[in-house]
């Protein structure tokens, strides 16, 4: 269900938070129907069949987010039309009856809006969406933008010269999708939907059709399926009079007379299967080894309160499962580096549970077995009361934050939620009522009710198991053996219950003595207060009203990796990564995750080239928790342990190997080497460099980076109440012990420059690579946006990608 704000003005944050906590519980019957029409929006259907959604929303100011939604996708194509739905999308921006010779692009360009088929539209198996984000600060702009969408609905020009112009762009998208990720994603999609038309209708289509399709064929598809009864227009933006926007929609769309023959969108069933399907992808350019388990089942509509309760329990299931995966990934010799589970609506008739993991090379079978084992453990023993209480607190915190900021959602987010109402009939009941529903229901969802969803996630439920490896290691027989092993253990109930870790009650065991204010300065011109604390830390804070439920802060000190010699660099640059895995706030990350359940408080660290920083984002009511984390950061002495160091080094090695397999990285790294004279600071880290890392030195450097409070300035902005915040600042920031002597104390003007030399002449070289051709950045198309399948086939690699970025510790001004 969508979290949409209701109408009404803003009130102070504390009162609003109390307002949430004083929200009355609601009485309802489980079979009570949810509203079919969306709440809080001007919604209607014109006589010609077009649906419309109009809502006033002030964020961003003087902007409107528009969309034309069409229930037409590639699955409707005949064999000779494969790729035509996508071609129509491209042609829309070329010319229409009213706008010719790229007039649409010129209009969008003139008002500063993004434009083009890749920026403003997408085609998936079931739908096509045209989107515009336009200014509304001048009369007539909004009306003209709506007229553009109206032209898309029925007046796209399909002439021979138009089609020839767009073939090249579409072919470039097609070629761009032939990389490693695209090949694997397409093959997996076909396997997932084997036996259905979806398997044969990838949105990008066939190269032969793209090259040879005639204007008559394209026009026939467009005229047949683009019927106003299959469309909706959405307008959400900073306009006061919603009725005038509705009138504008009626002017531009209302006079259109569609064909009397309304095309019926057929159902395309996806056959179920009891036996799992397996695939082993060996791809030399793959970002790493990965495992994906998908289980499909029919999608269902959310109609009653019982359906909504089930959706909450389902969300709790995936959240609780992900909490376990996070902890498993931080054990000794973990089976995977990261693993996550989620539900996804893949295509109109099918929903899927998808679990993906990234693992070490030659570790795919172990990862698969561990993933299946955890699902079996839930089916046998369920989740514990403690696990569900943690998940319940997390979800309650999310809905509370959404309720408090109900007047501050972005127009694009609201637009997207109305699109889901149109395409998938997702109820929109308004955030006030939804907050009451969740507050009432969450407390009564039992561990057994959550655990039952594991029954949908088993190998007999239309399951597809995919592994990706850069080199062939696992065989099909190995995957089948892993499935059989776990099924046998589950059948014999030889799988033990989950063993929870001990979680302390308080982040700070003994509260520090508060510091004091040595000096206070008011900067009235920018409405900022500056404090100098007794331990030398400098504080600057400014109260803002951008978001009611947010305080953000950054602490910075000069001096970073540029001060290190080459011998020190490789060890010290790994300090953040190794320390982060051990726990920079005094607790293992898996333990801290449970301690912070239900609180909205995050603190992160960065050691860059010229500065060390810590950054925080929290709710005003959780500011104490955020400051406690900062206190722990400065008072914790991180000591390396073999288990954590081994995990970090394994992840680092896999990330390096993944980069070396990627042709684009090979190209980019060579460019970087040439541009910076092969400086050790800029060149990609190598396996040989990892062997030089001293974990003890790495942690010592990190500890010193965040040890001396007198070197740090902390800037806070947000919904800050000084009466509440100042005592917390003095307690936890002022209470950080002052060092007996300065540590890493640098002046900005005395910092060392980075060690590099720009090339003194033009260098021309060819970079050999044994895999796919290396493309320059300008040749990479935006075709990935077209693959809107809902299957994030490469998402399991993002963790390794993030890890690899840890080794390039540039401050942002270097890019």
């Amino acid at each position: 269900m969508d979290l949409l704000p209701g109408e009404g003005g803003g009130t102070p944050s504390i009162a609003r938070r109390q307002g949430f906590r004083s929200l009355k519980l609601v009485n309802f019957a489980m079979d009570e129907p949810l509203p079919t029409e969306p709440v809080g929006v001007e919604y209607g259907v014109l006589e010609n069949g077009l649906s419309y959604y109009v809502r006033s929303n002030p964020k961003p100011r003087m902007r409107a987010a528009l969309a034309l939604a069409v229930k037409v996708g590639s699955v409707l194509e005949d064999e000779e039309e494969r790729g035509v739905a996508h071609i129509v999308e491209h042609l829309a921006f070329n010319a229409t009856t009213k706008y010719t010779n790229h007039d649409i692009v010129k209009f969008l360009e003139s008002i500063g809006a993004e434009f083009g088929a890749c920026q403003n539209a997408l085609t998936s198996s079931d739908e096509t969406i045209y989107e515009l984000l336009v200014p509304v600060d001048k009369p007539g702009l909004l009306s003209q933008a709506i007229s553009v969408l109206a032209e898309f609905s029925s007046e796209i020009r399909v002439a021979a010269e138009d089609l020839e112009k767009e073939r090249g762009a579409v072919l470039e998208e097609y070629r761009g999708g032939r990389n490693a990720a695209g090949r694997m994603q397409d093959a997996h999609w076909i396997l997932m939907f084997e036996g259905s038309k979806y398997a044969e209708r990838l949105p990008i289509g066939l190269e032969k059709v793209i090259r040879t399709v005639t204007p008559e064929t394209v026009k026939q598809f467009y005229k047949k399926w683009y019927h106003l009864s299959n469309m909706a227009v959405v307008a959400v933006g900073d306009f006061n009079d919603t009725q005038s926007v509705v009138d504008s929609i009626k002017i531009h769309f209302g006079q259109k007379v569609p064909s009397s023959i309304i095309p019926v969108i057929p159902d395309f069933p996806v056959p179920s299967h009891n036996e799992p399907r397996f695939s082993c992808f060996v791809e030399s350019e793959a970002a790493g080894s990965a495992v994906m388990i998908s289980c499909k089942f029919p999608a269902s509509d959310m109609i009653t309160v019982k359906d909504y309760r089930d959706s909450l329990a389902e969300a709790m299931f995936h959240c609780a499962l992900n909490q376990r995966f996070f902890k498993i990934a931080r054990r000794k010799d973990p089976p995977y580096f990261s693993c996550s589970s989620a539900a996804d609506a893949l295509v109109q008739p099918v929903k899927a549970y998808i679990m993906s993991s990234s693992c070490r090379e030659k570790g795919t079978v172990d990862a698969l077995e561990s993933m299946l084992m955890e699902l079996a453990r839930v089916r046998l023993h369920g989740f514990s009361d403690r696990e569900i209480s943690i998940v319940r607190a997390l979800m309650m915190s999310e809905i509370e934050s959404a309720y408090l900021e109900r007047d501050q959602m972005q127009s694009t987010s609201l637009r997207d939620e109305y699109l889901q109402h149109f395409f998938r009939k997702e109820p929109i009941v308004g955030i006030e009522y939804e907050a009451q529903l969740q507050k009432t229901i969450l407390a009564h969802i039992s561990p057994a009710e959550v655990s039952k969803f594991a029954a949908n996630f088993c190998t007999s439920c239309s399951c597809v198991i995919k592994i990706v490896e850069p080199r062939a290691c696992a065989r099909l027989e190995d995957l089948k053996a892993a499935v059989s092993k776990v099924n046998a253990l589950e059948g014999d109930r030889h799988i033990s219950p989950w063993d929870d870790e001990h979680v302390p009650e308080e982040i700070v065991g003994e509260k520090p003595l508060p510091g004091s204010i040595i000096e206070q300065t008011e900067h009235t011109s920018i409405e900022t207060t500056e404090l100098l604390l007794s331990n030398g830390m400098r504080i600057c804070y400014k109260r803002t009203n951008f978001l009611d439920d947010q305080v953000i802060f950054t602490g910075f000190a000069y001096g970073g990796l540029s001060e290190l010699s080459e011998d020190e660099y490789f060890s010290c640059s790994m300090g953040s990564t190794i320390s982060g895995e051990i726990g920079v706030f005094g607790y293992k990350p898996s333990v801290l995750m449970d301690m912070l359940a239900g609180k909205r408080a995050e603190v992160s660290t960065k050691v860059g080239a010229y500065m060390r920083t810590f950054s925080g984002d929290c709710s005003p009511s959780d500011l104490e928790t955020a400051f406690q984390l900062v206190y722990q950061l400065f008072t914790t002495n991180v000591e390396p342990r073999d288990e954590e160091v081994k995990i970090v080094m394994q992840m680092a090695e896999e990330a390096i190997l993944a980069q070396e397999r990627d042709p684009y990285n090979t190209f980019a790294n060579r460019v970087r080497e040439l541009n910076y004279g092969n400086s050790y600071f800029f060149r990609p880290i190598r396996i040989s460099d990892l062997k030089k890392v001293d974990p003890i030195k790495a942690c010592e450097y990190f500890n010193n980076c965040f040890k001396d409070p007198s070197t740090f300035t902390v800037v806070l902005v947000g919904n800050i109440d000084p009466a509440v915040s100042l005592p917390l600042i003095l307690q936890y920031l002022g209470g950080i012990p002052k060092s007996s002597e300065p540590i890493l104390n640098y002046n900005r003007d005395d910092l060392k420059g980075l060690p590099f030399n720009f090339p003194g002449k033009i260098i021309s070289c060819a970079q050999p690579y044994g895999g796919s051709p290396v493309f320059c950045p300008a040749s990479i198309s935006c075709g990935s946006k077209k693959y809107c399948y809902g299957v994030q086939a490469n998402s399991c690699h993002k963790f390794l990608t993030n890890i690899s970025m840890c080794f390039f510790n540039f401050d942002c001004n270097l890019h």
Side-chain angles (χ1 to χ4, degrees):
M1 184 183 292
D2 301 315
L3 302 180
L4 292 185
E7 306 288 351
T11 56
S13 174
I14 299 301
R16 294 180 64 152
R17 181 165 288 269
Q18 291 172 346
F20 172 83
R21 293 177 178 172
S22 63
L23 274 178
K24 294 181 179 179
L25 304 182
V26 290
N27 295 317
F28 46 75
M30 285 292 114
D31 59 355
E32 180 180 323
L34 297 169
T36 56
E37 293 193 1
V39 174
V41 60
E42 295 285 342
Y43 168 76
V45 180
L46 302 184
E47 291 183 3
N48 56 20
L50 177 83
S51 300
Y52 64 84
Y53 303 76
V54 177
R55 182 184 179 91
S56 175
N57 187 66
K59 300 222 178 247
R61 291 187 67 251
M62 304 308 293
R63 290 290 185 274
L66 310 179
L68 177 68
V70 189
K71 293 180 179 178
V72 173
S74 58
V75 74
L76 295 175
E77 298 165 347
D78 293 333
E79 185 64 26
E80 69 277 8
E81 298 173 330
R82 293 177 65 174
V84 168
H86 180 215
I87 290 173
V88 169
E89 168 211 313
H90 272 255
L91 289 171
F93 291 89
N94 190 46
T96 67
T97 302
K98 181 178 178 180
Y99 299 100
T100 61
N101 194 27
H102 294 284
D103 287 343
I104 293 174
V105 170
K106 294 174 184 176
F107 162 66
L108 295 174
E109 187 177 30
S110 70
I111 63 175
E114 292 183 343
F115 60 89
C118 294
Q119 287 84 7
N120 295 90
L122 60 88
T123 302
S124 70
S125 297
D126 294 304
E127 58 206 40
T128 302
I129 304 173
Y130 301 90
E131 298 176 342
L132 300 175
L133 182 62
V134 298
V136 292
D137 53 345
K138 295 179 181 178
L141 291 183
L142 180 59
S143 178
Q144 190 170 355
I146 292 173
S147 78
V148 169
L149 297 181
E151 288 287 292
F152 290 169
S153 71
S154 61
E155 305 298 331
I156 296 176
R157 193 177 74 187
V158 187
E161 59 271 22
D162 301 323
L163 185 55
E164 289 306 315
K165 289 178 183 177
E166 292 303 320
R167 288 192 204 273
V170 178
L171 282 169
E172 179 60 21
E173 283 196 45
Y174 179 88
R175 286 191 291 267
R178 299 304 93 200
N179 59 11
R183 293 193 297 270
M184 290 186 292
Q185 181 170 318
D186 289 354
H188 182 65
W189 180 263
I190 292 170
L191 183 66
M192 283 278 289
F193 294 99
E194 183 180 301
S196 76
K197 193 176 180 182
Y198 285 103
E200 304 168 355
R201 293 295 183 270
L202 294 173
I204 195 63
L206 299 179
E207 182 178 6
K208 178 182 177 181
V209 173
I210 298 170
R211 290 185 181 277
T212 63
V213 67
T214 65
E216 290 73 23
T217 300
V218 176
K219 188 179 299 184
Q220 180 181 345
F221 179 89
Y222 175 60
K223 293 299 182 182
K224 177 180 178 179
W225 295 110
Y226 270 57
H227 194 282
L228 290 173
S229 62
N230 292 329
M231 300 184 195
V233 62
V234 181
V236 183
D238 189 16
F239 38 77
N240 295 323
D241 184 9
T242 56
Q243 185 56 49
S244 66
V245 181
V246 173
D247 293 340
S248 182
I249 291 172
K250 290 179 178 179
I251 290 172
H252 293 295
F253 284 91
Q255 304 305 316
K256 294 183 178 295
V257 181
S259 169
S260 58
I261 302 174
I262 300 177
V264 178
I265 306 294
D267 293 327
F268 298 99
V270 178
S272 61
H273 48 97
N274 295 327
E275 293 299 320
R277 297 172 183 166
F278 299 90
S279 61
C280 302
F281 291 107
V282 179
E283 178 54 68
S284 60
E285 297 173 16
S289 298
V291 179
M292 177 181 286
I293 303 172
S294 306
C295 292
K296 310 184 294 288
F297 49 92
S300 58
D301 294 334
M302 189 184 298
I303 299 173
T304 66
V305 173
K306 173 65 166 58
D307 297 329
Y308 179 64
R309 178 180 176 129
D310 288 343
S311 73
L312 289 178
E314 180 185 66
M316 294 174 75
F317 165 76
H318 291 288
C319 185
L321 198 57
N322 288 331
Q323 299 270 319
R324 286 193 181 184
F325 291 149
F326 182 85
K327 295 173 181 178
I328 293 172
R330 279 149 184 79
R331 290 177 177 173
K332 182 179 180 181
D333 295 323
Y336 39 72
F337 299 132
S338 66
C339 185
S340 63
S341 172
D344 203 346
L346 299 182
V347 294
Q348 199 67 36
V350 169
K351 185 177 179 178
Y353 288 172
I354 301 173
M355 186 191 311
S356 57
S357 70
S358 62
C359 60
R360 66 184 184 278
E361 193 169 348
K362 300 181 181 179
T364 51
V365 176
D366 290 341
L368 172 63
E369 186 176 311
S370 176
M371 294 158 74
L372 293 173
M373 191 76 75
E374 214 48 53
L375 290 170
R377 195 186 318 277
V378 176
R379 285 192 291 271
L380 288 177
H381 305 289
F383 293 109
S384 67
D385 290 335
R386 183 171 166 275
E387 287 179 290
I388 297 305
S389 67
I390 288 173
V391 170
R392 185 181 293 117
L394 287 169
M395 293 185 64
M396 191 68 80
S397 177
E398 289 178 4
I399 188 64
E400 181 175 15
S401 183
Y403 175 80
L404 294 175
E405 295 179 352
R406 59 191 181 276
D407 301 319
Q408 297 164 327
M409 289 187 72
Q410 293 293 313
S411 292
T412 50
S413 298
L414 299 173
R415 176 189 65 188
D416 293 344
E417 291 173 349
Y418 293 132
L419 290 174
Q420 289 307 304
H421 178 270
F422 177 69
F423 285 126
R424 301 188 180 276
K425 301 179 182 177
E426 290 189 6
I428 298 175
V429 300
I431 185 59
E432 290 87 353
Y433 182 58
E434 181 149 14
Q436 288 180 295
L437 276 178
Q438 283 207 28
K439 189 174 181 180
T440 304
I441 293 173
L442 280 174
H444 299 286
I445 296 178
S446 67
E449 192 173 349
V450 175
S451 303
K452 72 178 184 181
F453 286 93
N456 293 335
F457 219 153
C458 64
T459 54
S460 61
C461 295
S462 298
C463 181
V464 177
I465 296 174
K466 176 184 82 169
I467 66 166
V468 176
E469 296 178 312
R471 285 181 286 272
C473 298
R475 302 169 303 163
L476 186 61
E477 292 75 16
D478 299 327
L479 306 185
K480 291 181 177 179
V483 171
S484 298
K485 176 182 176 181
V486 174
N487 287 344
L489 290 172
E490 182 180 2
D492 295 336
R493 302 188 69 84
H494 287 169
I495 299 174
S496 60
W498 174 257
D499 185 18
D500 267 331
E501 296 178 282
H502 171 68
V503 178
E505 293 293 328
E506 299 291 338
I507 294 175
V508 177
E510 183 176 343
K511 290 188 177 183
L513 294 174
S516 59
I517 298 174
I518 302 299
E519 182 181 317
Q520 179 169 335
T521 306
E522 299 293 337
H523 301 282
T524 55
S525 61
I526 56 174
E527 299 178 343
T528 301
T529 300
E530 181 179 350
L531 308 174
L532 178 63
L533 304 185
S534 52
N535 60 4
M537 182 175 279
R538 193 172 295 275
I539 308 292
C540 299
Y541 69 85
K542 176 181 175 68
R543 187 170 189 172
T544 63
N545 60 359
F546 295 112
L547 291 173
D548 290 329
D549 195 38
Q550 185 179 63
V551 174
I552 57 176
F553 56 85
T554 297
F556 65 91
Y558 291 111
L561 295 171
S562 71
E563 304 297 323
L564 303 172
S565 67
E566 182 173 357
D567 292 338
E568 297 173 303
Y569 172 74
F570 291 109
S571 291
C572 296
S573 65
M574 288 288 290
S576 296
T577 308
I578 295 174
S579 299
E581 194 64 31
I582 295 169
V584 300
F585 303 109
Y587 305 95
K588 293 169 59 178
S590 57
V591 173
L592 187 64
M593 177 180 66
D594 287 352
M595 297 176 71
L596 296 177
K599 299 180 183 295
R600 203 173 77 74
E602 300 176 359
V603 176
S604 60
T605 64
K606 178 186 176 183
V607 179
Y610 300 117
M611 290 198 302
R612 297 137 17 228
T613 60
F614 61 85
S615 300
D617 186 336
C618 65
S619 169
S621 64
D622 292 321
L623 187 61
E624 181 174 10
T625 299
F627 285 166
Q628 286 178 338
L629 292 174
V630 175
Y631 176 82
Q632 289 290 106
L633 172 66
F634 276 80
T635 57
T636 295
N637 190 45
V638 180
E639 297 180 354
R641 295 188 292 266
D642 291 341
E643 292 180 14
E644 285 87 354
V645 171
K646 182 179 179 181
I647 293 172
V648 171
M649 291 306 175
Q650 282 181 342
M651 290 190 293
E653 185 172 335
E654 290 290 335
I656 293 169
L657 293 173
Q659 284 196 336
E660 292 175 351
R661 288 189 294 267
D662 187 333
Y664 176 75
N665 271 322
T666 301
F667 171 74
N669 289 339
R670 180 57 176 155
V671 171
R672 182 173 292 171
E673 289 175 8
L674 294 173
N675 279 342
Y676 296 103
N678 200 29
S679 166
Y680 67 86
F681 193 91
F682 291 96
R683 75 166 185 252
I685 194 167
R686 305 183 178 101
I687 299 295
S688 58
D689 297 326
L690 279 183
K691 296 178 181 178
K692 302 176 185 177
V693 173
D694 180 348
I696 295 177
K697 181 180 291 186
C699 291
E700 285 178 350
Y701 177 74
F702 182 85
N703 289 333
N704 286 333
C705 283
F706 301 96
K707 184 68 68 177
D708 184 356
S710 67
T711 62
F712 277 82
T713 297
V714 184
V715 179
L716 300 97
V717 296
N719 194 1
I720 300 168
D721 181 354
V724 175
S725 303
L726 279 179
L728 299 176
I729 289 172
L730 296 177
Q731 176 98 63
Y732 296 107
L733 303 187
I736 298 171
K738 185 175 183 178
S739 303
S740 57
E741 58 183 31
I743 301 174
L744 300 183
N745 188 9
Y746 298 94
N747 293 319
R748 182 182 64 179
D749 296 336
D750 297 331
L751 297 175
K752 290 183 181 179
L754 290 172
F756 65 86
N757 294 304
F758 286 128
K761 61 181 181 179
I762 297 175
I763 300 173
S764 177
C765 69
Q767 180 66 21
Y769 181 77
S772 297
V774 179
F775 299 99
C776 72
S779 72
I780 296 175
S781 75
C782 50
S784 61
K785 191 173 182 181
K786 303 305 167 195
Y787 298 139
C788 306
Y789 308 144
V791 179
Q792 299 294 327
N794 203 37
S795 61
C796 52
H797 303 308
K798 290 180 181 176
F799 181 77
L800 283 180
T801 302
N802 291 338
I803 288 294
S804 68
M805 291 304 294
C806 291
F807 306 129
F808 303 102
N809 295 288
F810 315 141
D811 287 339
C812 58
N813 59 350
L814 296 175
H815 291 289

